[in-house]
Each structure stands twice: as C-alpha cells, then as structure tokens.
C-alpha cells in the first residue's frame, strides 16, 4: 500500500512541476507576443491612448476658446 501512495505522490509532484513549466512557458510566450505587437505598432507610428486623449483635450480646449472669442467678436460688432 505504501508503494501505491508513493507512486501517487510522485505522479502528483510530476504534474505540479509540469504545470509550473507550462505556466512559465505561457508567461514567456505572452511577453514575446506583447513585444512583437508593441514593435508592430511603433513601426507604424500609431499613437497611444494617452497621446490621443491629450490631443483630443487640446482640440476641445481650442474649440472652446474659439467659441468664446467668436462670442466676444459678435458682441463687439453689435456694440459698434
């Protein structure tokens, strides 16, 4: 009976080790794939989400400033 328990313990340890190796390989593959995607996007001059949001905020501010200036000009024209 002890031999059977030892065999199950050994098999369990082998499976645990195999899962650890598989997880390591998965992590390495994900890292490599992410690096490839990052290089692909960088080579094509795509912008990051942060860059896009910053430019969008600048454009929104410029529109608001233009509208305020237009309103001031309209008020000046009516007063003149």
């Amino acid at each position: 009976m002890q031999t059977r328990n030892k065999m199950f313990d050994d098999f369990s340890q082998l499976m645990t080790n195999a899962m650890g190796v598989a997880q390591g390989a998965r992590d390495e593959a994900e890292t490599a794939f992410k690096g490839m995607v990052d290089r692909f996007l960088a080579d094509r001059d795509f912008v990051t989400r942060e860059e896009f949001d910053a430019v969008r905020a600048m454009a929104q501010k410029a529109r608001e400033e233009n509208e305020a200036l237009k309103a001031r000009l309209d008020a000046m024209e009516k007063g003149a």
Side-chain angles (χ1 to χ4, degrees), residues 3-28:
T3 305
R4 190 172 243 191
N5 286 341
K6 174 86 170 114
M7 184 177 73
F8 286 130
D9 288 343
D10 289 346
F11 182 72
S12 173
Q13 185 63 41
L14 177 67
M15 297 306 339
T16 300
N17 291 343
M19 291 300 289
V21 169
Q23 181 65 36
R26 178 179 176 259
D27 293 344
E28 190 172 326

Side-chain angles (χ1 to χ4, degrees), residues 22-80:
Q23 181 65 36
R26 178 179 176 259
D27 293 344
E28 190 172 326
E30 284 179 355
T31 301
F33 182 73
K34 184 178 183 318
M36 288 173 44
V37 169
D38 288 345
R39 281 191 304 277
F40 174 82
L41 294 176
D43 290 345
R44 274 131 193 97
D45 293 330
F46 289 130
V47 297
T48 64
R49 184 64 190 195
E50 292 81 18
E51 292 170 326
F52 175 80
D53 288 342
V55 171
R56 184 174 62 180
M58 288 172 27
Q60 179 64 33
K61 183 178 178 186
R63 277 193 297 274
E64 290 168 359
E65 289 173 353
N66 285 342
E67 289 172 5
L69 288 173
K70 183 179 181 314
R72 285 179 60 194
L73 284 173
D74 289 345
M76 290 172 73
E77 286 177 359
K78 289 179 184 178

